[in-house]
Each structure stands twice: as C-alpha cells, then as structure tokens.
C-alpha cells in the first residue's frame, strides 16, 4: 500500500542521499506510470522498462544536484520532459539500428501535444489500479461484497449471473457495486491528494 | 407533487435502471424531483458509474482483453426542461455535452451543461453565459448554431446547439490519414482550412474572437465540412471589462488557452495585444499541423521553454515527414511542400501580428489563390515571383519554363541582395528583370520547340548583355558573373572562362585592386579553375579572394566563409583532407555564429565537412553530418534542387564506404533517375552519378549492368576535362578494374595502357 506522504515531502526527503525510503516510495509511485507512458509512446515492454529506469535515474540525479525548481514547473512537467527525452532516445537508437540494416527508420513517436494528456491518463489509470489493490487489501469491506463487485464490474457478468453465483439478491449486487465504488472514490481522492494532483 | 409520484424510494436496481433504460421513467423522475435523499443517492450513483469506466480501463492490462460493458454509463436523466437527454457526447474542462431531443420540436440537438453545477466559480458562470450570448449571435455553415439556452432544474447553465454528426478535427485526420501521425493530403487540407477560416472570419466581422481555436474545437462532418465549437474564450472586440479579465495567463497562473495554439502576444500579459490576428495565428498552427502532422513548436520539457519557443524562435518551415511523403497527394510531388504553401503557413505564424495575415479572410483568400494557380499575396513584394507565376499560369511549353526557372535560380541570390542595397542596385535589379523578359521573349517556342536548351538561353543572354548594357559596366559585370557561373555549372568551361574574365576585368577597372566585387570575381574564377582540375591556379585565385575579403570585411563575415569553403573544396579535390578540414571547420563556425541552425548554408558546410571526414575514414561522423545536411536540404529546398541530389550522392558514397551497398544502390539509382528526368541537365553530374552507380553495381557483382555506366562516365570526363584530370584517371581506374574482375584482359589493357 502506498503511503499518503505528499509528493512535495517525498522530493525533499529524496534530496537527502541517506533517505532510501523516500526514494522507494517515489519509485513505486512513478515507475508503473513511466512504463505505461513509454508503452503508450510506442516502446515495447523491455524498452519501456529501460526507459523508465533511465528516466527515474536522471530524475533522481537532477533532483540531488538541485536542478529542480518548483517555481519553474510542476513535478509532472519535469518528469514527463525527462521521460520524453529517454523515450525519444530509445526510439532514435532503434531507428539507427533499423537504418543500419537498410530498413525504414521512421520514428513512430506520437504527436507531442498529447504528452501531458497521455501522462495524466496513465497517472489516473495507475492511481485507480492502486486504489483497486487497496480496496482488496483492506479489512473493513466484506470480501463477498468485493467479489460481487469484481464479477459485475470487472469481469462483465450480468447482475442476474452475479446474483446466482454469489447467492445474493439483485439489489444486493447493485448495493455491493456502489459500496465498492464509493469506497474506491474515497481511496482515489486521498491518493490524488498525496500525489498533489488536485 | 409528491403524492402523485412513486411514494416509495427506488432501490439501487431501480435507480440503475434509470441509467440503462431507453425510455425515461416519468414516475421515477418525479420522485427524484421531490425526494432529496434519492437525489443524493442518484448523484452518488452517477459519480460511481463515471468512476466505473476508469476502473474498467485500469483493470485492462496491455496484453489483456477489454472487459465488455453491460451498463451504459453515458445514459443520463439529468432533468433539463423541455429536453430529453439521450447520451453523453463529450466531457471537457468547461462542461459536459449531451445528445438530447428537444421535446417540442423532436429535433435532436447537443446540450452543453456546465460540469460542476453549484460548485462552479462565478467567473466560470460568467464565461459560460458569455459563450451562449456570443455563439447565439453567429450564423455560418462553419460555426455551430445555438438554438436555445437556460437553466437546468438544479440551477446549472445549459445551452442547446446544432448536433454535428462528425469528429473533432484531430480524430478526423487520424481516421482519414493513411496511418496515424500521417497528415492530410494537401489537396484535402487546404480547402478544409479555407472553410474553417470562413467561419472564423464571419465571427471576426461580428466582433467575436475565438481565442481558443484548436483541432478539438473543430468538428468535421461526413461531408468534410468543418463546424467550430466552444467559443468559450471568445470575447467581443473592444469589450474592455472582458479584456481585463481574460488575459490568457491569469494572476493565478491558470492557463486558459491551449499552449500549442496560443499566439506569441498571448504570453505578453497585455490583453490589448490580443485581436483577430491571434486567431489567424492559431489557424496557422492548425494548417501547419494538418500539412505536416507536427506542431511548429512541440511542447518542450518545461512550460517556460515552450513559451520561449513560441515567443522567440522561428518555426522550422513546414515540410512533409518521411512517412507522409510516401503517401502524399497523387497530384503533387509528395516529397516536399510547395514554396507558396510554406510561405502562406509561415506568414500566418509570424511572431509580429503586423506581419501576419490581417484577417482570417485574407488567409483563406491566399490559399484559394494558390489553389487556383494565381500568385499568392504573401509574396506580392517579389516581382520575380509574380512574373514566374504568371508565366506558369499561361502554360508556356515545359522547355521554356525549365529554362526560366534555372535562370531565376541563378539570379535569385544576387537579386535578393540587390533589393537590400541602394538605388543603383534597384536600377540594376530592374535592368535584370528587363533582361530576363527580353531573353525569354526572344526565344520563340515555335521556332525552337522542345530543343530549346539552357546554353542557348545563356548565349542569348550574352548577346543581350553586349548590345543593351553598354555604358553600364557594373550591371554588365554582375550579369556576366551570373552567366559565367551558370556556364560553369553546366560544364561549359570555355564559355564560363570568357564571361568570368570579362567580369573580373570590369570590376578591376571600376574598383581597383582591392574591392569585395574583385574578390567575388577571383573566387568565381577560382571555382572555375577548380572545376577544370587546375588546382594550383584555383588555390591561388581563391586565396587571393579570401585574403581580400578578410581584409575588407573581417574574419566573421559570410563571404569569408564562402571563400573558405571554396578553398577547402579545392583541397578536397587534391585529396589534402587535413587542410580542407581546418578550413571547413572555420567556415562552419562562422556560419553557425551568423545563421540559424536549419539553414541551407549550414547544410552546405556540414556537407563539405562530412565529405572530408568520409575521405579521412571517419565514416560514422560523416554519415551523421550527411544525413543532417540531406534532411535540411530536403526540408528547405525544392525537390529538384541540385543540392538535394548532391547530398544524396554523397550519402550513398558514405554508405558504400561503410559497406552498405544495398541502401547505396537504391540512392544512386535515384540520383541517376533524377538526372535523366532533367532535360539537358548538368552532364558532369550525370556522369558522376552513373560512375558511382557503376562502381556500386560492380562491387555487388552486377558487371554487365555496371560496364556501360562506367564507360559513359569515363568518356564524359575524358572529353570535358581531359585524360590527365584526376577525375578522369579515377574513372578509368574503375573501368579497368571492372574488366579485370570480368576477366576481359584485352579491354583492361586497352584502357589501362
């Protein structure tokens, strides 16, 4: 489970070389987003993982060198900028390899104006994934309720099927769905606050 | 009221049914109106169902399959008086757009409702209200018509507008283009943008500026007609109170427009600087994007960098991306954009609003001029351009046209310099114009027909100079220099020598021993000596010119960089690469200080340096520089420009040196094809391309195909520059090597001896 430490606090903690925890938390927050972002920009699984690693390393280095100034831009614009460069470099390397083999070396990177939007979408997607995990892990929501929600919302079963499978009334199935979604909204709000997205 | 409605509160299943039902449930709707608790449950349900979409999307993995939806969360029953909402179309920053039926007329419309209801700030309400007022006043096929406005049951603003069955422009381009990120064919993009301009112009004429034009605000219907929506930032021209509130970057730093489409003046914080030309700029960005698939200034790593690019950096001239060029319009050369189109786009994107089209109508009109084949307004100040365009419009025979274009190119540089100088220079320019017209007029298309050649035109020109320019030695020298250089590039060295020598003598007579024009003549004669293979003389002449230029103009002058390059080119021919490299690095450094990075002259310097590095076996760096120069030239120059081909040939040579024969072969075939397609083109260049292709084929083992190519190449050099010239010797060596490889010792002996 992610902590609710704010991104600002994490950044100040990470600036200290001895603080491993801050860095680990930051890494688990942003690495999945970076990988998904790279994949959206056309990289394969392995290349995306490499690009994310490279972006995180450069981010940390720049942070510790004091190059990041909150007044000049958000964490988001900074990290998307770094990620974009890493992804572009990977694309360019691949293009050169293709050229050397006498193949077309077209760069498939999508239009740049969508970068922030793509980042936000992946960020949101990642937060929703974290929220789903937390929902499953937490104790005060009944496992049966969560199971009904999964069947209905995530596996595409009809309310009648879920009702039969779980031995619940149809209204209870709907109730389970809304309990889980309401809970998810709450978790998501607190995550967004920690990420300082709102 | 409550007594007439369902007395029991609906359960969750019943509430869900409101979302998924095709028909509205009047009894439930009435209950909702009356029951606060159910309204709150309903609001929660709506929020939950919205999140459900995100949850489903998030639960899909890259490899996983999407989960089928069994609940249409777009359905809504937010009560709006007089309308039945049937679905959600779009959710944006300002509001949500629903598809709806106007109950009284049964007309299907789009209804836009402010997204956050009572939570919305008063400023937002004002903006929304203004949007309604502004758009309702506009009636144009390219602007979405507004029918009605009012408040929803819970006090939110809404307005009803024409429902456009279409896609936002960016999605339309995505679906129409052959592949994602490939732009629209120019023949589709230009009429489409004209129609958008017409709508914007209509609004401008009624005092309305859009201020937020971007592809997502333009819907394109099935008939490819655009419809502009979201006049959310529009304001009436001259409305001071609005202007003050609507500076693009507000005190809170909230960015209201969309960065990429915002004009430079929108960043200056002066609301009065924003006017109709701000929209013209956005139209320019949209046009740029439609034609190239790219933005003129891709968003940078930081907001401030992007803003700096928009306010301070000249946009790269639009060009088709490599992916687009293979799928471009069938009617036009696919590899580059026409100069007129480039000019139109760059004029719309001018940083200074004064230099832009002053209205969207003017932009549309210029595009239409281009589509009709008329001279465009953006280049009205260039008489030569208008003249050429007029001739093209009158459909003169192709031979005459090609000659004319060559002459224009030859004069182009001189002309542009002259325009900037004194009255004498203006007179010179006028004389040259008369000269061109007379020369062209003297070539009777019927008499010469397709046999008219550039040398013939040049001969006519010499004749004209001798008759018409007596008593005007400076103009005479200038023309003789141009004609001499043209002869030289055509491989007609004797004729070139005579013209350049005459020009040199005139310059010396007029200006004495030391003068920039004397230096120019020395340089031209040096280049000729170099092309003839007389390298010692070439070095002597060019060094004298260089020394004179350094003395008169200083080290950091463009003319100095020209001399440095010419001198280096002689050393290259002499295979003295170390000397050449030093000179070229100095030349490139001078140019990098004087010019912008993407400049034809920078490309020239990179090209020559790459050639030197190639010969020094620094192949990787050479290839990089060549590719860069080639890209710049493809971007900046027209497709048939000889420099494009020179770059192609050099790149092919570099690839051969790296052993990449297959890619080199394809490039060399393109070079030879280009030369063949140029009637009476530069024979030396054709011989060069053929020689290289022959060499490449021989290396690939295709001896039979290689032989005639190497033979023709050798014959050309032998007859034009003589048997002892280094180029001829090399051509012979390659031929002999081929015969040896083939086992034809008789022929090898014949040419080897």
């Amino acid at each position: 489970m992610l902590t609710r430490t704010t991104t600002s606090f994490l950044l100040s903690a990470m600036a200290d070389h001895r603080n491993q925890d801050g860095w680990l938390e930051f890494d688990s927050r942003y690495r999945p987003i970076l990988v998904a972002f790279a994949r959206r920009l056309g990289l394969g699984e392995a290349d995306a993982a490499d690009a994310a690693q490279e972006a995180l390393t450069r981010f940390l280095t720049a942070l510790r060198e004091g190059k990041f100034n909150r007044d000049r831009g958000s964490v988001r614009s900074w990290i998307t900028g770094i990620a974009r460069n890493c992804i572009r470099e990977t694309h360019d390397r691949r293009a050169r390899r293709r050229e050397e083999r006498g193949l077309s070396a077209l760069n498939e990177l999508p239009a740049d104006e969508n970068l922030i939007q793509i980042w936000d979408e992946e960020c949101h997607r990642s937060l929703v994934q974290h929220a789903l995990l937390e929902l499953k892990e937490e104790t005060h929501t009944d496992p049966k309720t969560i199971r009904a929600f999964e069947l209905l919302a995530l596996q595409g079963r009809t309310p009648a099927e879920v009702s039969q499978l779980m031995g619940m009334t149809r209204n209870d199935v709907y109730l389970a769905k809304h309990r889980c979604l309401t809970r998810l909204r709450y978790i998501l709000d607190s995550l967004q606050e920690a990420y300082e997205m709102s | 009221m409550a007594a007439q409605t369902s007395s029991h509160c609906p359960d969750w299943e019943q509430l869900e049914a409101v979302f998924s039902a095709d028909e509205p449930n009047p009894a439930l709707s009435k209950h909702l109106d009356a029951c606060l608790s159910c309204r709150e449950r309903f609001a929660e349900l709506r929020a939950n169902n919205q999140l459900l979409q995100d949850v489903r999307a998030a639960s899909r993995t890259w490899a996983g399959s999407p989960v089928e939806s069994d609940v249409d969360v777009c359905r809504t029953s937010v009560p709006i008086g007089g309308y039945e909402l049937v679905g959600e179309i779009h959710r944006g920053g300002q509001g949500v757009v629903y598809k709806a039926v106007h109950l009284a007329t049964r007309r299907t419309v789009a209804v836009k409702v402010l997204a956050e209801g009572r939570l919305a700030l008063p400023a937002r309400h004002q903006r929304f209200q203004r949007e309604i007022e502004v758009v309702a006043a506009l009636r144009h096929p390219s602007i979405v018509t507004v029918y009605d406005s009012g408040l929803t049951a819970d006090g939110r603003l809404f307005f009803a507008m024409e429902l456009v069955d279409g896609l936002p422009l960016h999605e339309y381009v995505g679906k129409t283009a052959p592949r994602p990120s490939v732009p629209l064919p120019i023949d589709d993009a230009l009429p489409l943008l004209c129609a958008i301009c017409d709508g914007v112009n209509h609004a401008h004429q009624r005092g309305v500026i859009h201020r937020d034009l971007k592809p997502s605000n333009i819907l394109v219907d099935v008939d490819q007609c655009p419809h502009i929506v979201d006049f959310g930032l529009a304001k009436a021209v001259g409305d001071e109170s609005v202007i003050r509130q609507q500076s693009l970057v507000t005190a809170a730093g909230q960015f209201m427009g969309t960065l990429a489409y915002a004009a430079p003046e929108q960043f200056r914080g002066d609301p009065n600087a924003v006017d109709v030309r701000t929209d013209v700029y956005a139209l320019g960005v949209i046009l740029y994007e439609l034609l190239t698939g790219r933005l003129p200034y891709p968003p940078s790593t930081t907001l401030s960098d992007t803003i700096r690019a928009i306010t301070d950096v000249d946009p790269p001239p639009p060009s088709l991306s490599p992916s687009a060029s293979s799928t471009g319009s069938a009617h036009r050369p696919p590899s580059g954009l026409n100069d007129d189109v480039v000019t139109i786009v760059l004029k719309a994107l001018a940083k200074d609003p004064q230099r832009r089209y002053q209205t969207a109508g003017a932009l549309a009109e210029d595009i239409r001029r281009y589509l009709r084949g008329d001279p465009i307004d953006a280049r009205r100040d260039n008489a030569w351009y208008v003249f050429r365009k007029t001739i093209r419009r009158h459909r003169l025979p192709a031979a005459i046209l090609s000659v004319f274009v060559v002459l224009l190119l030859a004069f182009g540089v001189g002309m542009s310099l002259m325009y900037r100088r004194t009255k004498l220079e203006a007179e010179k320019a006028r004389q040259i114009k008369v000269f061109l017209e007379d020369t062209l007029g003297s070539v009777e298309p019927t008499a010469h027909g397709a046999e008219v050649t550039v040398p013939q035109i040049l001969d006519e020109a010499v004749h004209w100079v001798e008759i018409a320019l007596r008593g005007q030695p400076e103009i005479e020298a200038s023309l003789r220099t141009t004609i001499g250089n043209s002869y030289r590039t055509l491989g007609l060295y004797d004729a070139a020598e005579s013209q350049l020598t005459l020009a040199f003598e005139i310059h010396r007579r007029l200006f004495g021993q030391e003068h920039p024009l004397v230096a120019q003549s020395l340089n031209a004669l040096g280049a000729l000596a170099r092309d003839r293979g007389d390298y010692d003389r070439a070095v002597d002449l060019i060094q004298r010119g260089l020394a004179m230029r350094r003395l008169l103009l200083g080290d950091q002058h463009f003319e100095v960089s020209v001399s440095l390059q010419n001198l280096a080119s002689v050393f290259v021919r002499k295979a003295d690469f170390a000397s050449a490299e030093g000179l070229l690095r100095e030349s490139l450094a001078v140019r990098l200080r004087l010019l912008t990075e993407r400049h034809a002259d920078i490309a020239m310097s990179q090209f020559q340096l790459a050639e030197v590095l190639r010969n020094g076996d620094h192949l990787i760096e050479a290839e990089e520089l060549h590719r860069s120069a080639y890209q710049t030239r493809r971007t900046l120059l027209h497709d048939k420009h000889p420099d494009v081909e020179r770059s192609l040939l050099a790149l092919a040579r570099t690839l051969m040196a790296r052993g990449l024969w297959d890619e080199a072969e394809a490039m060399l075939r393109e070079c030879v094809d280009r030369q063949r397609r140029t009637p009476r083109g530069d024979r030396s260049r054709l011989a060069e391309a053929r020689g290289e292709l022959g060499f490449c084929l021989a290396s690939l083992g295709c001896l039979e195909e290689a032989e005639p190519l190497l033979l023709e190449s050798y014959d050309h050099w032998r007859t034009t520059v003589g048997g002892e010239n280094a180029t001829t010797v090399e051509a012979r060596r390659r031929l002999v090597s081929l015969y040896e490889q083939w086992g034809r010792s008789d022929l090898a002996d014949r040419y080897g001896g």
Side-chain angles (χ1 to χ4, degrees):
Chain A
M1 184 179 148
L2 296 176
T3 68
R4 294 297 186 266
T5 311
T6 61
T7 298
S8 299
F9 188 82
L10 278 183
L11 290 181
S12 56
M14 281 155 59
D16 180 353
H17 289 255
R18 292 159 301 182
N19 190 325
Q20 272 297 307
D21 290 348
W23 168 243
L24 289 176
E25 171 77 12
F26 188 87
D27 182 277
S28 53
R29 281 185 190 188
Y30 284 99
R31 187 183 293 273
I33 304 171
L34 283 164
V35 172
F37 184 63
R39 301 233 36 195
R40 281 281 294 278
L41 297 188
L43 293 190
E45 220 168 311
D47 280 347
D50 288 348
Q53 172 64 36
E54 179 65 19
L56 283 165
T57 311
R58 284 189 203 176
F59 182 92
L60 185 65
T61 309
L63 180 79
R64 288 184 175 162
E65 284 170 4
K67 287 180 184 163
F68 178 48
N69 180 357
R70 281 305 278 269
D71 298 333
R72 284 182 52 208
S74 62
V75 178
R76 179 178 69 168
S77 64
W78 193 34
I79 201 165
T80 48
I82 291 176
R84 171 172 157 271
N85 289 345
C86 293
I87 293 161
R88 175 150 291 155
E89 281 163 25
T90 309
H91 271 294
D92 289 348
R93 271 198 303 278
R94 277 199 321 197
R96 269 201 295 280
R97 283 203 294 273
R98 286 179 64 77
E99 271 179 358
E100 278 167 17
R101 295 204 303 272
L103 299 170
S104 153
L106 299 181
N107 193 336
E108 299 289 341
L109 215 59
D112 277 346
E113 78 276 16
N114 292 329
L115 281 182
I116 290 289
Q117 192 190 334
I118 292 174
W119 175 264
D120 284 348
E121 286 168 6
E122 289 312 325
C123 211
H124 184 65
R125 186 203 292 267
S126 176
L127 287 191
V128 172
Q129 282 169 341
H130 279 300
L132 272 172
L133 281 176
E134 285 193 21
L135 176 76
K136 287 182 198 175
E137 282 165 12
E138 69 184 14
T139 50
H140 55 263
T141 305
D142 175 20
K144 195 174 172 183
T145 301
I146 292 175
R147 182 67 193 140
F149 166 70
E150 282 183 316
L151 287 170
L152 182 76
L154 305 183
Q155 294 181 20
R157 303 292 190 121
T158 65
E161 287 172 336
V162 180
S163 157
Q164 202 176 14
L165 281 168
M166 302 295 297
M168 301 160 84
T169 66
R170 290 228 306 229
N171 192 53
D172 282 345
V173 175
Y174 281 113
L175 193 56
K177 170 186 159 189
H178 288 292
R179 276 193 182 143
C180 288
L181 284 169
T182 302
R183 181 72 197 144
L184 273 178
R185 277 200 290 137
Y186 174 81
I187 298 172
L188 202 54
D189 280 349
S190 68
L191 282 174
Q192 281 172 342
E193 212 167 287
Y195 274 69
E196 296 177 330
M197 283 178 69
S198 48
Chain B
M1 289 292 283
Q4 295 169 349
T5 62
S6 165
S7 56
H8 298 292
C9 290
D11 61 20
W12 284 102
E13 187 176 5
Q14 284 169 319
L15 274 183
E16 281 275 6
V18 174
F19 270 95
S20 51
D22 288 321
E23 294 293 326
N25 182 336
L28 256 185
S29 296
K30 280 183 181 169
H31 177 86
L32 285 177
D33 284 342
C35 177
L36 177 65
S37 144
C38 282
R39 276 214 303 279
E40 281 174 359
R41 283 171 66 213
F42 192 84
E44 191 183 352
L45 183 144
R46 195 170 54 205
N48 282 346
N49 278 344
Q50 275 163 15
L51 176 64
L52 183 61
Q53 276 188 321
D54 296 344
V55 169
R56 284 183 169 151
S59 67
R60 291 169 206 158
T61 61
W62 283 102
S65 56
V67 179
E68 285 303 313
S69 165
D70 61 348
V71 180
D72 183 0
V73 293
C74 289
R75 297 259 170 219
T76 181
S77 67
V78 175
I80 295 178
Y83 291 90
E84 180 187 324
L85 303 190
V86 292
E88 186 178 310
I89 297 171
H90 174 69
R91 196 166 278 268
Q94 288 186 344
V96 185
V97 183
Y98 298 100
K99 184 177 177 179
V101 176
H102 185 227
L103 294 172
T105 60
R106 304 307 298 171
R107 179 157 61 183
T108 307
V109 297
V111 171
K112 184 166 182 175
V113 181
L114 198 61
E116 290 171 19
R118 298 184 187 90
L119 295 174
L121 301 167
R124 200 165 196 179
H125 273 232
Q126 283 171 13
R127 204 157 69 215
F128 194 78
Q129 190 85 55
R130 196 161 52 244
E131 176 176 359
I132 292 166
E133 288 163 10
V134 162
V135 185
L138 303 174
R139 291 277 184 280
H140 189 275
S142 295
I143 296 177
V144 170
T145 311
V146 168
Y147 299 126
D148 184 20
S149 64
L151 291 170
T152 64
D154 55 357
R156 288 181 291 169
L157 283 159
F158 80 89
F159 70 93
M161 59 188 157
E162 177 191 1
L163 179 71
V164 178
D165 184 13
L167 293 169
L169 184 56
H170 55 288
E171 287 180 28
Y172 167 80
V173 171
K175 291 214 168 167
T176 310
R179 286 194 298 112
S181 85
V182 171
L184 277 190
I186 187 169
D187 294 344
D188 293 343
L190 294 180
L192 185 65
L193 195 92
C194 278
I196 297 168
C197 287
D198 290 343
V200 175
N201 198 45
H202 174 88
H204 286 174
Q205 285 169 347
R206 279 145 195 83
V208 177
I209 304 171
H210 193 295
R211 288 174 47 118
D212 193 23
L213 281 172
K214 56 189 174 185
S216 60
N217 279 342
I218 298 162
L219 300 171
V220 184
D221 68 19
V222 284
D223 298 322
Q224 302 193 0
C225 297
H227 304 266
I228 305 161
V229 295
D230 257 6
F231 270 79
L233 298 174
K235 66 173 176 65
V237 173
D239 181 349
E240 292 295 327
S241 65
V242 175
I243 288 170
R244 233 171 265 121
Q245 286 164 18
Q246 289 232 321
S247 162
L248 189 72
V249 185
T250 66
Q254 179 194 10
F255 197 72
M256 289 161 68
T258 305
L259 198 61
Y261 303 90
E265 64 269 22
Q266 287 178 286
F267 299 103
R268 289 187 200 124
D270 173 14
N272 295 312
V274 173
D275 60 22
V276 293
R277 295 169 297 187
T278 306
D279 280 351
V280 171
Y281 181 89
L283 289 166
V285 178
I286 293 170
L287 179 57
Y288 192 108
E289 198 181 7
L290 283 178
L291 293 173
T292 67
R294 297 182 299 272
L295 286 165
Y297 307 101
S300 186
T301 45
T302 65
L303 184 69
S304 57
D305 284 350
T306 307
I307 292 173
R308 200 172 306 121
I310 292 172
T311 54
D312 297 342
V313 180
D314 283 334
S319 63
L320 295 179
S321 63
S323 56
S325 59
S326 59
T327 50
S329 163
H331 309 298
R332 291 173 205 283
S335 53
L337 284 174
N338 182 291
D339 287 348
D340 282 356
V341 178
V342 171
T343 304
I344 289 173
V345 176
L346 292 181
K347 180 164 181 180
L349 288 175
K351 305 244 177 269
D352 178 1
Q354 293 284 357
R355 298 181 70 92
R356 259 175 238 156
Y357 291 101
Q358 296 300 294
T359 66
L363 169 58
E365 186 45 41
D366 229 10
I367 295 175
R368 292 199 169 98
R369 276 192 203 102
Y370 166 74
L371 290 170
R372 285 197 300 267
D374 287 340
I376 59 167
D377 207 37
R379 297 170 77 178
R380 276 267 168 226
D381 54 347
N382 185 332
W384 300 103
Y385 159 75
V386 175
F387 186 39
R388 182 182 65 178
K389 198 77 184 180
T390 309
I391 284 190
R392 178 166 297 175
R393 182 107 166 96
H394 294 142
R395 295 177 189 284
L396 285 182
I400 299 286
L401 272 181
S402 63
V403 165
F404 187 58
V405 169
V406 166
L407 276 176
L408 264 169
L409 284 172
F411 284 107
V413 176
M415 291 306 302
S416 62
L417 288 173
M418 286 171 188
Y419 266 121
R420 283 189 234 127
R421 292 183 191 160
T422 59
K423 276 183 188 166
L424 172 69
E425 303 294 352
E427 172 58 20
K428 211 192 266 186
R430 202 189 59 77
Q431 289 279 357
I432 292 170
K433 183 170 183 287
V434 172
F435 154 70
L436 263 178
E437 285 165 339
D438 282 6
T439 308
L440 277 171
S442 70
V443 181
E444 285 288 324
T446 45
H448 297 272
E451 294 303 309
V452 172
T453 62
V454 176
Q456 272 176 293
I457 286 286
L458 291 173
D459 294 344
E460 296 267 2
V462 171
H463 184 61
W464 186 88
V465 167
E466 276 159 7
I467 293 171
L469 289 178
R470 273 190 203 124
Q472 299 174 76
E474 194 181 345
I475 300 171
E476 182 190 338
S478 169
L479 283 176
R480 285 195 193 280
T481 303
T482 307
I483 293 167
N485 282 335
S486 299
Y487 275 130
R488 177 177 66 77
T489 57
L490 291 168
L492 299 166
Y493 298 135
D494 287 341
E497 180 95 49
S498 129
Q499 293 304 311
L500 293 175
T501 306
L502 280 169
F504 176 61
E505 284 166 0
I506 294 169
H507 282 148
R508 283 268 287 260
R509 199 174 69 237
L510 289 175
F511 305 114
Q513 295 292 322
E514 283 182 345
H515 187 274
L517 285 173
V518 175
Q520 182 197 63
S521 278
L522 285 167
N523 198 49
L525 282 166
L528 175 64
R530 175 201 63 197
D531 286 4
R532 293 194 118 157
D534 188 350
Y535 300 140
D536 291 342
R537 180 169 145 78
V539 169
D540 175 54
L541 287 165
I542 297 171
Q543 270 180 341
R544 279 163 59 197
L546 173 63
M548 205 177 285
R549 281 174 167 171
R550 282 192 198 275
L551 185 74
L552 299 170
L553 307 169
D555 285 343
Q556 299 297 320
H557 194 280
F558 184 77
E559 305 269 286
V560 170
S561 79
V562 172
S563 286
L564 285 166
Q565 245 179 12
N566 279 340
L567 191 54
S569 70
V570 185
F571 285 118
V572 166
R573 304 260 184 112
K574 290 175 74 177
D576 180 356
F577 300 120
S579 304
E581 189 182 331
L583 294 164
L584 287 171
R585 290 206 186 275
E586 187 188 345
S587 174
L588 181 59
V590 170
R591 290 180 180 192
L592 285 170
R593 265 193 290 275
L594 298 174
L595 308 170
T596 57
E597 199 183 340
R598 280 177 79 85
H599 193 287
D601 292 322
I602 301 273
M604 173 59 89
S605 286
Q606 287 175 324
F607 173 90
Q608 295 202 351
L609 187 54
E611 283 293 87
V612 165
L613 292 167
R614 176 171 66 84
N615 284 295
D617 271 344
H618 304 295
L619 297 177
I620 307 269
E621 195 188 344
E623 190 189 328
E624 265 176 34
L625 281 165
H626 268 319
R627 283 197 196 275
S628 166
Y630 177 59
Q631 281 305 325
T632 304
R633 287 172 166 180
R634 282 295 283 254
T635 308
L636 298 178
L637 305 174
H638 67 90
D639 188 45
K640 292 200 172 74
H641 196 287
D643 281 348
V644 175
E645 191 206 307
R646 276 192 201 105
S647 264
L648 195 60
L649 188 65
L651 184 52
R653 281 176 169 150
T654 313
L655 292 169
M656 284 197 286
R658 298 195 59 204
L660 304 167
W661 299 102
D662 290 338
E663 194 185 350
E665 185 198 337
M667 286 182 177
L668 291 168
R669 284 193 192 280
E670 193 188 330
C671 287
V672 172
D673 279 351
R674 278 162 170 267
Q675 281 297 332
R676 285 197 182 120
R677 276 187 269 120
T678 312
R680 304 274 175 165
D682 180 349
R683 289 177 298 147
S684 292
R685 216 171 291 139
L686 177 60
E688 203 176 0
R690 281 186 167 160
E692 292 297 341
L693 180 58
F695 176 63
C696 183
L697 288 167
S699 305
L700 283 163
C702 308
L703 304 181
E704 285 182 37
E705 195 186 347
E707 190 214 4
L709 292 165
L710 290 177
L711 203 52
E712 282 166 33
S713 171
Y714 168 62
D715 276 345
H716 170 83
W717 295 119
R718 189 174 49 80
T719 51
T720 52
V721 295
E724 299 312 310
N725 181 280
T727 311
T728 315
V729 171
E730 171 63 13
R732 190 170 64 220
R733 191 193 63 73
R734 286 178 170 186
L735 190 60
V736 170
S737 164
L738 170 91
Y739 287 134
E740 282 167 352
Q741 199 180 339
W742 209 341
R744 297 290 304 271
S745 53
D746 50 336
L747 289 168
D749 289 346
R750 191 209 291 178
Y751 289 97

